[in-house]
């Protein structure tokens, strides 16, 4: 079975699978680490895999796609316009035509690949292009577009909602990464839907017993926005530093580097010295960092799953996260303390509690590791996906 994975993939994260990559391969895309874990496991099981992704580093006026291949793995990169509405390299923004150029290029790449089954991630341009190929497709829903629009109301998210609505109304086979997503998008489709969580890479679990040499509170966010709620988290962490100056606070993710949004916020609030700003990092660097955390603070207001939470659980790191933040309570269960993350005082109290109660801390660490192994390991998740592929594509 030749499996096609359609979704956002960073060349930097997957370069180890393509040692003979040509100079034509572009390397700007910020991708999803969970797709790398899935691809890795499928290859380990002996399947042929082709991956399809958009890439802003490619000229949208030039090649329809760039193919890089090694062994059983092929990567197809297609151009991605950098702007949502404004002009980019002589072309109008991608949302003005609902990613028509990107979808057309993805379709060309898919048609050239010879895959038997497509697995499209997110309900937007990747799934739309996969549906247009007339190849059997499983679409994995990673978010609830209406909830995102409600929390981040703008024209771009409205466009994304329209795209998702079209995709979901045509969908035959769906999976969702949490029961929360099943509930939130039930009105948008008529297809059958399986709940299959996001996969964690196998190498994370080998770091679970890592000895903590210092007390580090980590916060990893995907962007500086109201949805990710980093300002409230930083307010609580700054207060924690006043009480426990021996603790280090490490900030990771886009907007969390020196001179970026988090840095500017800390400068305005006179607490720059409270934080170490690491910013966006490759996935391997993030995995290496998490295993040294003492606690992960995850202040997001809404998560469809929460990969960072599961990654922390896999290395025995308790979490403080939102009790009303979408799928977060389902993912975390007993692996940490759930609070109202809109309250910096509640966040601070939870952090102090975990730091002061060794029994509670160890209980959360053990519970998180057990849940991550049983439910989120790449082996367990990939097995479920393969069952779906065979059913959809008619393989035995």
């Amino acid at each position: 079975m030749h499996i096609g994975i359609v979704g956002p993939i960073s060349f930097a994260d997957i370069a180890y699978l393509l040692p003979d990559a040509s100079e034509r391969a572009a390397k700007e895309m910020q991708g999803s680490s969970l797709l790398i874990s899935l691809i890795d496991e499928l290859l380990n099981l002996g399947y042929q895999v082709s991956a399809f992704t958009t890439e802003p580093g490619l000229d949208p006026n030039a090649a329809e796609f760039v193919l890089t291949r090694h062994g059983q793995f092929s990567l197809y990169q297609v151009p991605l316009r950098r702007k949502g509405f404004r002009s980019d390299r002589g072309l109008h923004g991608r949302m003005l035509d609902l990613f028509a150029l990107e979808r057309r290029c993805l379709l060309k790449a898919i048609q050239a690949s010879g895959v038997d089954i497509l697995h499209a991630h997110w309900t937007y341009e990747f799934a739309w292009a996969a549906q247009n190929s007339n190849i059997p497709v499983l679409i994995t829903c990673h978010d609830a577009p209406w909830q995102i629009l409600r929390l981040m109301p703008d024209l771009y998210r409205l466009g994304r909602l329209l795209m998702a609505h079209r995709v979901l109304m045509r969908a035959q086979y769906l999976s969702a990464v949490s029961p929360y997503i099943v509930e939130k998008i039930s009105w948008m489709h008529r297809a059958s839907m399986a709940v299959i969580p996001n996969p964690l890479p196998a190498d994370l679990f080998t770091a679970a017993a890592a000895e903590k040499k210092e007390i580090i509170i980590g916060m990893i966010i995907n962007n500086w926005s109201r949805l990710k709620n980093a300002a409230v988290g930083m307010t609580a962490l700054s207060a924690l530093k006043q009480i426990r100056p021996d603790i280090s606070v490490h900030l990771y993710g886009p907007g969390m580097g020196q001179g970026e949004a988090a840095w500017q916020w800390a400068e305005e609030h006179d607490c720059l010295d409270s934080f170490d700003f690491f910013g966006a990092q490759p996935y391997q660097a993030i995995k290496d960092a998490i295993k040294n955390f003492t606690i992960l603070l995850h202040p997001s207001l809404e998560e469809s799953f929460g990969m960072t939470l599961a990654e922390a659980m896999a290395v025995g790191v308790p979490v403080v996260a939102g009790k009303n933040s979408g799928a977060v309570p389902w993912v975390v269960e007993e692996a940490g303390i759930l609070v109202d993350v809109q309250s910096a005082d509640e966040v601070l109290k939870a952090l102090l509690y975990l730091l002061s109660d060794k029994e509670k801390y160890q209980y959360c660490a053990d519970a998180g590791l057990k849940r991550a192994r049983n439910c989120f390991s790449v082996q367990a998740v990939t097995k479920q996906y393969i069952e779906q592929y065979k059913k959809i594509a008619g393989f035995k």
Side-chain angles (χ1 to χ4, degrees):
M1 183 164 51
H2 183 178
I3 301 166
I5 304 296
V6 196
I9 295 171
S10 165
F11 188 89
D13 288 341
I14 210 164
Y16 66 95
L17 291 176
L18 298 165
D20 306 321
S22 70
E23 291 300 317
R24 295 179 66 210
K27 303 171 184 178
E28 283 188 35
M29 184 68 175
Q30 296 294 310
S32 172
S33 59
L34 66 94
L35 299 186
I36 310 303
S37 300
L38 176 59
I39 290 167
D40 242 349
E41 184 63 13
L42 289 170
L43 290 170
N44 288 339
L45 292 171
Y47 292 99
Q48 183 179 354
V49 179
S50 291
F52 308 88
T53 188
T54 50
E55 172 53 66
L58 294 178
D59 184 353
N61 297 288
E64 290 180 324
F65 64 84
V66 170
L67 169 61
T68 309
R69 178 179 289 144
H70 183 81
Q72 290 282 89
F73 178 62
S74 300
L75 176 67
Y76 293 80
Q77 296 174 301
V78 311
L80 172 66
R81 288 166 288 177
R82 292 190 178 103
K83 306 295 183 182
F85 295 99
R86 290 181 292 155
S87 175
D88 175 34
R89 290 167 282 188
L91 299 172
H92 57 252
R94 59 183 184 263
M95 189 52 77
L96 291 175
D97 59 12
L98 301 181
F99 288 70
L101 181 149
E102 290 78 5
R103 290 186 282 107
R104 183 175 68 251
C105 293
L106 283 166
L107 179 59
K108 288 277 189 181
I110 289 168
Q111 290 172 332
S113 68
V115 296
D116 299 308
I117 176 78
L118 290 168
H119 185 182
H121 291 263
W122 283 270
T123 53
Y124 308 109
E125 67 275 15
F126 298 110
W128 190 336
Q131 286 178 324
N132 286 348
S133 72
N134 293 320
I135 296 169
V137 56
L138 170 67
I139 298 170
T140 291
C141 306
H142 290 272
D143 59 21
W146 177 252
Q147 293 300 107
I148 294 174
L149 178 63
R150 183 178 63 83
L151 289 166
M152 303 173 68
D154 58 39
L155 285 175
Y156 192 84
R157 272 79 186 181
L158 176 60
R160 299 295 267 178
L161 174 63
L162 295 174
M163 293 174 72
H165 184 266
R166 185 190 186 283
V167 165
L168 289 168
M169 288 300 293
R170 295 174 61 203
Q172 291 183 287
Y173 304 100
L174 296 171
S175 70
V177 297
S178 67
Y180 170 75
I181 296 300
V182 174
E183 175 192 348
K184 292 301 178 183
I185 67 171
S186 61
W187 62 278
M188 298 180 73
H189 68 90
R190 296 184 292 269
S192 61
M193 178 176 283
V195 175
I196 303 176
N198 286 331
L200 293 172
D203 64 344
L204 260 180
F205 294 97
T206 64
E211 183 180 350
K212 305 297 189 293
K213 296 180 180 180
E214 58 179 314
I215 300 175
I216 299 173
I217 312 298
M219 189 164 75
I220 303 170
I221 63 168
N222 290 330
N223 57 72
W224 180 272
S225 65
R226 177 176 175 268
L227 179 64
K228 296 304 178 184
N229 196 37
V232 172
M234 290 178 68
T235 299
L237 291 168
S238 177
L240 179 66
K241 279 287 287 185
Q242 298 300 312
I243 299 169
R244 292 286 303 271
D246 58 310
I247 291 172
S248 296
V249 178
H250 292 187
L251 306 182
Y252 288 85
M256 307 290 271
Q258 294 190 15
E260 296 179 340
W263 173 285
Q264 294 166 16
W265 183 93
E267 191 171 41
E268 290 172 9
H269 291 80
D270 196 28
C271 56
L272 265 178
D273 292 342
S274 296
F275 307 101
D276 293 308
F277 299 88
F278 291 88
Q281 297 286 333
Y283 184 45
Q284 186 58 53
I286 295 294
K287 289 191 291 184
D288 290 340
I290 289 176
K291 69 184 181 183
N292 292 313
F293 289 175
T294 306
I295 299 170
L296 173 77
L297 170 60
H298 195 73
S300 177
L301 299 179
E302 193 263 1
E303 289 288 353
S304 58
F305 181 79
M307 279 298 289
T308 304
L309 295 167
E311 288 159 354
M313 291 159 60
V315 293
V317 173
V319 305
V320 172
K323 64 181 180 182
N324 302 311
S325 299
V328 168
W330 177 79
V331 172
V332 172
E333 288 195 346
E334 298 179 294
I337 299 179
L338 300 176
V339 299
D340 177 5
V341 288
Q342 297 189 74
S343 168
D345 286 342
E346 283 199 30
V347 172
L348 175 61
K349 288 176 183 176
L351 291 168
L352 288 170
Y353 177 27
L354 279 177
L355 289 170
S356 61
D357 191 320
K358 291 183 178 180
E359 282 192 19
K360 177 65 173 177
Y361 181 93
Q362 193 59 50
Y363 180 84
C364 292
D366 293 342
L369 179 55
K370 181 179 179 181
R371 178 156 173 74
R373 283 190 187 279
N374 292 342
C375 301
F376 308 142
S377 72
V378 68
Q379 294 87 353
V381 170
T382 304
K383 181 180 179 182
Q384 294 177 72
Y385 277 136
I386 290 172
E387 290 173 358
Q388 294 292 316
Y389 301 160
K390 289 179 176 179
K391 179 178 73 174
I392 294 167
F395 283 80
K396 293 184 179 179

